[in-house]
């Protein structure tokens, strides 16, 4: 039930992070064994429970599994590649592609001598694969705060080589472009300039990668580096939506090529564990679904809310538990679920003097510049004008009469429903559409006298035909 917010089942309190793996996990493992074997009973109904996966950052993953840390030579959780210490970057780098995969059977036999440091209590949990069910492809830490942040800092500061370093003038122009981009209301954070890069949140890096990057970087990166970045952009775009599921194998090839060319363009001293782990995320997407379905974002947000419950450093644990008990007593989860179930789609509501149409729980359209664009299943780019409340809701909109691919490498952008259109190509007269005609909502980004239209990733709607 993905609409349910994360629930806190235990909080560790201490002056340092836990040192004993057994003490930290004992109660969790014992309860999990009971729940997984016997299920839980709610209103006299027995409900079977299955543990889906573990989602953590890199140090926590290594701690939970009792294995070498991510920056160790045998630190990869998924394959047997051996890292090498780079004196140039003073980090361990992983240059291998498609190394032998680790297996749950060998892990349970304690066969990985340099990788396994201690025995983990997780081994006692039934029906769990300790290689495949511990996520390394977490969207927040690996891609947004990992790869995307590293690339932007490297380009801005020259820490990935001077060939791709942006001048202060170029950095200023990019920052100015970012400040003028109007993202749809579903995206809550406005993009900030590159001078604030150290303060960007993970969601800002995500928005940059999915929507702003291919437009603002086109003029400023060398051609080879821009094409290399497009490999990452196309692969992550495909892995972020069920809409591209039939081509996830193509994303695998793109990420492998991205890792190979990363070494050629920037040097093997920068092939850290984050870059290496890009090879493994397609396996996890094929096992669990699109990247957003096993991202750490909801859990990091829950941790932030717990942090905000504290008013001082005195009796911190008691403060957190008392405030959380008060919140839970208000039947928060039941209320949130019932509101979601009671809402009917599509529906029309009045916001100020304008009508807004809620297409579904994750997509709405209005006449404002940031929320007016959508793509039909016939691949027509349409600007929403207004809605007619007939027995069936009808949308009046103007079609962009011309469109072309924005890029052709590594695949045509139209394959990802990304198009370039002249601003002057907007039709003069309205056309009518039903909500079932909508394929996805679009983000419109200015590019000279053109506009680049990019799908809002989470808004794809399957055709009824």
């Amino acid at each position: 039930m993905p609409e349910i917010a994360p629930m806190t089942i235990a909080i560790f309190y201490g002056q340092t992070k836990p040192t004993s793996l057994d003490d930290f996990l004992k109660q969790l493992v014992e309860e999990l064994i009971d729940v997984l074997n016997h299920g839980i009973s709610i209103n006299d109904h027995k409900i079977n429970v299955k543990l889906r996966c573990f989602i953590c950052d890199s140090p926590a993953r290594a701690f939970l599994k009792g294995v070498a840390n991510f920056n160790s030579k045998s630190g990869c959780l998924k394959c047997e590649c051996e890292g090498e210490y780079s004196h140039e970057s003073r980090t361990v780098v992983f240059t291998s592609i498609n190394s032998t995969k680790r297996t749950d059977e060998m892990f349970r036999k304690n066969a990985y001598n340099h990788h396994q440091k201690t025995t983990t209590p997780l081994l006692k949990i039934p029906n769990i694969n300790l290689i495949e069910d511990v996520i390394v492809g977490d969207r927040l830490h690996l891609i947004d705060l990992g790869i995307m942040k590293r690339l932007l800092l490297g380009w801005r500061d020259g820490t990935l080589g001077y060939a791709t370093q942006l001048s202060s003038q170029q950095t200023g122009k990019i920052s100015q472009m970012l400040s003028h981009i109007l993202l749809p209301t579903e995206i809550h954070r406005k993009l900030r300039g590159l001078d604030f890069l150290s303060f960007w949140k993970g969601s800002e890096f995500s928005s940059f990668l999915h929507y702003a990057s291919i437009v603002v970087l086109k003029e400023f990166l060398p051609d080879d580096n821009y094409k290399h970045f497009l490999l990452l952009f196309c692969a992550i775009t495909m892995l972020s939506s069920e809409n591209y599921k039939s081509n996830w194998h193509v994303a695998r090839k793109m990420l492998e090529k991205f890792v190979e060319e990363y070494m050629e363009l920037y040097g093997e001293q920068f092939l850290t564990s984050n870059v290496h782990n890009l090879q493994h995320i397609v396996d996890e997407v094929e096992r669990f679904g699109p990247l957003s379905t096993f991202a750490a974002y909801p859990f990091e947000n829950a941790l932030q809310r717990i942090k905000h419950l504290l008013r001082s450093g005195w009796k911190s644990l008691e403060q957190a538990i008392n405030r959380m008990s008060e919140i839970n007593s208000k039947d928060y989860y039941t209320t949130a679920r019932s509101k979601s179930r009671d809402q009917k789609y599509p529906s029309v509501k009045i916001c100020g003097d304008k009508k807004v149409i809620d297409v579904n729980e994750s997509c709405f359209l209005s006449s404002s510049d940031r929320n007016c664009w959508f793509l039909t299943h016939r691949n027509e780019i349409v600007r929403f004008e207004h809605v007619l409340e007939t027995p069936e809701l009808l949308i009046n909109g103007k079609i962009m009469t011309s469109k072309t691919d924005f890029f052709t490498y590594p695949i045509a952008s139209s394959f990802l429903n990304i198009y370039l259109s002249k601003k002057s190509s907007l039709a003069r007269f309205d056309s009518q559409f039903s909500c079932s005609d909508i394929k996805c909502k679009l983000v419109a980004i200015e590019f000279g006298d053109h506009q680049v239209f990019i799908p809002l990733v989470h808004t794809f709607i399957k055709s009824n035909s």
Side-chain angles (χ1 to χ4, degrees):
M1 301 178 72
E3 73 274 14
I4 301 299
M7 303 179 194
T8 303
I9 60 168
I11 298 178
F12 175 85
Y13 175 74
Q15 296 296 321
T16 64
K17 292 184 177 182
T19 54
S20 170
L21 184 57
D22 287 327
D23 290 346
F24 183 63
L25 290 176
K26 182 180 178 182
Q27 288 177 292
L28 170 68
V29 169
E30 288 176 351
E31 188 169 354
L32 270 177
I33 292 172
D34 179 57
V35 169
L36 294 174
N37 285 333
H38 304 107
I40 57 176
S41 180
I42 299 178
N43 295 333
D44 296 326
H45 291 282
K46 180 183 176 183
I47 300 174
N48 293 322
V49 177
K50 180 183 177 183
L51 194 153
R52 184 167 178 247
C53 60
F54 286 88
I55 302 173
C56 336
D57 60 14
S58 295
R61 286 195 297 265
F63 176 69
L64 290 181
K65 290 185 64 174
V67 299
N69 215 342
F70 68 97
N71 55 0
S72 302
K73 291 184 178 181
S74 299
C76 182
L77 300 185
K78 299 291 183 177
C79 70
E80 299 181 34
C81 68
E82 284 292 319
E84 302 172 9
Y85 182 77
S86 169
H87 293 279
E88 189 172 352
S89 62
R90 297 181 181 180
T91 57
V92 173
V93 297
F94 300 87
T95 58
S96 302
I97 302 289
N98 293 325
S99 297
T100 304
K101 298 286 180 67
R102 300 192 192 278
T103 65
D104 181 71
E105 180 183 4
M106 296 296 286
F107 188 90
R108 291 178 183 276
K109 290 178 179 178
N110 204 29
Y112 302 117
N113 296 329
H114 299 291
H115 178 63
Q116 294 176 269
K117 301 296 184 183
T118 186
T119 302
T120 173
L122 298 183
L123 290 167
K124 301 174 184 176
I125 300 175
N127 302 319
I128 179 178
N129 187 312
L130 282 171
I131 301 300
E132 297 180 356
D133 293 342
V134 179
I135 299 296
V136 300
D138 164 38
R139 174 66 202 252
L140 171 61
H141 297 103
L142 176 63
I143 298 167
D144 299 333
L145 292 178
I147 299 296
M148 193 67 254
K149 183 176 183 178
R150 181 70 185 93
L151 287 172
L152 281 173
L153 285 172
W155 295 330
R156 188 193 69 175
D157 302 334
T159 52
L160 283 175
Y162 294 116
T164 55
Q165 184 176 12
L166 301 170
S167 66
S168 57
Q169 187 179 21
Q170 290 174 321
T171 300
K173 286 183 178 179
I174 290 176
S175 297
Q176 189 176 21
M177 292 173 71
L178 292 175
S179 67
H180 286 93
I181 291 176
L182 294 176
L183 295 173
T185 305
E186 289 91 343
I187 300 173
H188 303 299
R189 288 188 181 274
K190 178 179 172 62
L191 288 170
R192 292 179 281 181
L194 296 186
D195 46 336
F196 292 99
L197 203 54
S198 299
F199 302 100
W200 278 24
K201 302 295 185 181
S203 58
E204 290 175 271
F205 288 104
S206 177
S207 297
F208 179 86
L209 172 57
H210 278 301
Y211 309 115
S213 61
I214 58 172
V215 181
V216 302
L217 295 176
K218 189 175 180 66
E219 297 180 37
F220 302 106
L221 280 185
D223 189 55
D224 287 346
N225 296 83
Y226 181 72
K227 286 183 175 179
H228 176 248
F229 174 77
L230 285 177
L231 290 168
L232 177 70
F233 169 82
C234 293
I236 299 304
T237 297
M238 285 192 277
L239 297 176
S240 298
S241 173
E242 287 273 0
N243 190 63
Y244 306 111
K245 185 175 182 178
S246 61
N247 288 285
W248 283 347
H249 66 284
V250 178
R252 184 190 299 276
K253 296 296 183 184
M254 289 181 180
L255 288 176
E256 290 175 356
K257 189 172 178 63
F258 178 85
V259 174
E260 290 173 355
E261 293 186 359
Y262 198 98
M263 179 168 54
E264 298 170 12
L265 289 170
Y266 300 110
E268 68 175 39
Q269 70 271 24
F270 297 118
L271 286 173
T272 56
S273 62
N274 274 345
V275 179
H276 170 79
N277 280 334
L278 288 174
Q279 300 175 60
H280 302 308
I281 63 175
V282 179
D283 291 332
E284 295 179 340
V285 169
E286 289 176 344
R287 184 173 176 84
F288 299 109
L291 289 168
S292 61
T293 64
F294 55 89
Y297 278 104
F299 308 104
E300 292 286 349
N301 291 337
L303 289 171
Q304 187 74 359
R305 286 193 291 271
I306 294 173
K307 182 179 177 181
H308 287 161
L309 297 177
L310 305 183
R311 293 293 175 263
S312 71
W314 183 71
K315 292 191 175 181
S316 303
L317 188 60
E318 289 89 336
Q319 287 185 68
I321 297 303
N322 288 337
R323 298 297 83 76
M324 292 170 68
S325 297
E326 292 168 4
I327 293 171
N328 290 338
S329 67
K330 296 177 182 177
D331 207 14
Y332 169 79
Y333 297 104
T334 303
T335 304
R337 276 205 315 277
S338 62
K339 285 183 179 178
S340 176
R341 282 200 302 261
D342 293 343
Q343 179 69 47
K344 304 296 183 183
Y345 299 103
S347 62
V348 175
K349 62 185 179 183
I350 305 297
C351 290
D353 58 345
K354 297 178 181 178
K355 288 184 178 180
V356 175
I357 181 167
D358 288 319
V359 181
N360 55 37
E361 66 277 0
S362 60
C363 174
F364 80 95
L365 296 169
S366 74
S367 57
S368 65
D369 288 339
R370 67 176 64 196
N371 295 305
C372 64
W373 297 101
F374 66 91
L375 187 71
T376 71
H377 287 289
R378 296 186 297 273
N379 292 327
E380 299 161 313
I381 299 171
V382 182
R383 180 187 172 95
F384 174 94
E385 297 295 330
H386 58 88
V387 60
L388 301 175
E389 295 184 75
T390 60
E392 178 193 5
L393 293 180
L394 294 176
I395 296 171
N396 273 25
K398 290 184 170 64
I399 298 174
M400 298 295 283
T401 57
S402 71
K403 65 180 187 293
T404 186
D405 285 313
F406 181 61
F407 57 79
T408 56
Y409 176 90
I411 52 176
S413 66
S414 54
F415 180 82
L416 300 176
N417 302 287
I418 298 172
Y419 297 97
L420 178 70
S421 294
K422 284 188 177 181
K423 295 178 184 178
S424 58
S425 67
L426 190 66
R428 295 176 59 189
F429 302 104
D430 288 358
S431 301
Q432 282 193 342
F433 306 88
S434 69
C435 290
S436 61
D437 292 327
I438 298 173
K439 185 177 188 179
C440 63
K441 188 172 179 177
L442 293 172
V443 179
I445 300 179
E446 292 193 4
F447 186 67
D449 59 350
H450 290 71
Q451 285 177 298
V452 181
F453 293 98
I454 305 167
L456 192 58
V457 173
H458 67 276
T459 62
F460 277 101
I461 303 170
K462 290 184 178 180
S463 173
N464 294 327
S465 59

